[in-house]
Amino acid sequence: MATEAAPEWLDKGDNAWQLAAATLVGLQSVPGLVILYGSIVKKKWAVNSAFMALYAFAATFVCWCLWAFRMSFGDRLLPFVGRPDLAALDQAFLTQQGFAGAYPAATLLFFQFVFAAITLILVAGSLLGRVNFRAWMLFVPLWLTFSYTIGAFSLWSPNGFLFKAGVMDFAGGYVIHLSSGIAGFTAAYWVGPRTAKDREAFPPNNILLTLAGAGLLWMGWTGFNGGAPYAANIDASVAIVNTHFCTATSLLVWLCLDCVVFGRPSVIGAVQGMITGLVCITPAAGLVQGWAAMLMGVVSGSVPWCTMMVLHKRSRLLKRVDDTLAVIHTHGVAGSLGGVLTGLLAEPRLCRLFFGDDPRYVGLVYAVKDGRAAAGLRQVGAQLAGIAFVVALNVAVTSAVCLFIGMFVPLRLSEEQLAAGDDAIHGEDAYAVWGDGETYEQSVHGNHGYPMTSNPMASKADEMI
């Protein structure tokens, strides 16, 4: 029976799955990418890199609730962005049925937040090892407001102009991965490179933890793509199976290429292949058949490998820009491939499960088979137009944001801070020897309950407390 807490329009099963899917996506960021970033960098950057991810997660949530959610999915202000307001602070809004799905707006707000947060954290991957943390603190709300909301509204909101044009982005190949790849690469250009020493040698400080973070990322993708249909339905199940099929294939292809070309399998290479597979299938997860998902895995395990291992070494632009974790390849290239392959391989029946009975949504392969090649060509054209829009938007907005922040705060750390790393920036060390008092000399929170250091500022702080 319907109650005030469970009205007739509420589907408890869909609501439960959507909240679970959102939690899985949140775990990809915290602790997933926190662990991955903190372990895949040099030891002296472990704390700073992990903390950039944690800060972005928290800051994004506050901004998302205050204005960004409504700019992404609210009432239309312009063809590419919604009208900001404080509706998310009103329980009357949160408890009413959301714009999609048979559950309240509060569920949609949380589900879409975790996608926004991971996008910012992926951008951070391009900037590890030299960006000024204070500049990063400003970058997160500004880029969220002026870039992410526009991409999300344009491609995902029922009122967005690219959504109305028929661009297919099942779970974020454009909104999240292509955006973060282009934005990260652009921001890396403006921030500048790491030190020459760090660029020459930047070994992971803990490969086992890197694998742990990567594992959380992979398993969390079950919610990432499985939650995209906004329901616990058949399409969600198909999306989950396709996600893991493509990812496993991509990892194996990348691994084989490493063995053939370099003579030995690489753990970090396997992680890269895993990520490109996850990214490539994202815009197509619930729209393609299993054989197509496997084919996409072959492409995502080989093309980004070639751009990273071959093209990157020959391109003056790619060599000039210091993209720390190669996000332009793992997310920018893989996201673009996924978008184009969606336009080629999307199966009409699966498209109906997700988009409804709209004949526009069909991959070129099936359109040619059905004798309506024009519809397939139109879909491929729409996918390419979506890529062009996302690239142009993120180059322009990211550049503007970086130049604006640079007027007030240096984008890049000083040479002294770059040489010292975590200890100079945070006064904290990833692997602290607490008992000997060898670390935390500069920390405002690290000395309580442990032997006093000789640092006068630390002693002064303790006296004041």
Side-chain angles (χ1 to χ4, degrees), residues 33 52 78 114 261 276 333 371 383 387 405 420 464:
L33 286 172
M52 284 178 66
L78 296 170
V114 290
V261 176
T276 56
V333 173
Q383 299 302 107
I387 292 173
I405 293 172
M464 292 175 66

Side-chain angles (χ1 to χ4, degrees), residues 202-434:
F202 206 67
N205 69 82
N206 194 319
I207 289 183
L208 293 180
L209 278 181
T210 298
L211 287 174
L216 286 167
L217 198 63
W218 187 347
M219 290 299 100
W221 229 280
T222 296
F224 200 107
N225 289 346
Y230 293 126
N233 59 17
I234 293 174
D235 205 30
S237 300
V238 171
I240 291 170
V241 172
N242 283 340
T243 296
H244 298 296
F245 202 3
C246 178
T247 302
T249 303
S250 181
L251 186 154
L252 295 176
V253 169
W254 194 293
L255 192 63
C256 290
L257 287 170
D258 277 348
C259 289
V260 170
V261 176
F262 302 116
R264 57 186 178 185
S266 165
V267 174
I268 300 301
V271 171
Q272 300 283 36
M274 177 205 83
I275 292 173
T276 56
L278 291 167
V279 170
C280 186
I281 194 61
T282 293
L287 307 176
V288 299
Q289 296 194 59
W291 66 264
M294 187 175 186
L295 176 61
M296 293 179 74
V298 173
V299 174
S300 65
S302 55
V303 175
W305 186 95
C306 291
T307 64
M308 186 185 298
M309 301 300 179
V310 181
L311 180 62
H312 193 105
K313 298 175 182 178
R314 300 177 181 179
S315 169
R316 294 177 62 183
L317 175 62
L318 292 175
K319 288 194 297 184
R320 178 183 176 186
V321 179
D322 183 17
D323 181 356
T324 307
L325 298 185
V327 179
I328 186 64
H329 300 288
T330 57
H331 294 271
V333 173
S336 298
L337 288 172
V340 174
L341 290 170
T342 302
L344 293 173
L345 303 173
E347 200 272 335
R349 179 175 178 270
L350 293 173
C351 288
R352 288 197 301 272
L353 293 179
F354 186 67
F355 292 107
D357 192 14
D358 189 332
R360 293 183 304 167
Y361 298 104
V362 58
L364 179 60
V365 170
Y366 294 93
V368 171
K369 179 182 177 182
D370 295 341
R372 50 192 189 109
L377 291 172
R378 187 210 65 82
Q379 188 62 61
V380 173
Q383 299 302 107
L384 292 172
I387 292 173
F389 173 79
V390 172
V391 171
L393 169 69
N394 283 281
V395 169
V397 173
T398 306
S399 296
V401 168
C402 288
L403 291 171
F404 177 77
I405 293 172
M407 296 170 60
F408 305 97
V409 178
L411 294 174
R412 189 169 181 265
L413 294 167
S414 67
E415 294 300 321
E416 293 77 10
Q417 290 173 315
L418 290 173
D422 290 337
D423 188 55
I425 303 163
H426 304 289
E428 295 164 331
D429 191 342
Y431 306 106
V433 186
W434 291 88

Side-chain angles (χ1 to χ4, degrees), residues 111-136:
F111 179 73
Q112 290 296 341
F113 148 68
V114 290
F115 285 90
I118 199 171
T119 307
L120 266 301
I121 296 172
L122 293 174
V123 173
S126 296
L127 307 175
L128 302 180
R130 84 283 199 173
V131 69
N132 185 344
F133 194 86
R134 289 177 173 82
W136 177 243

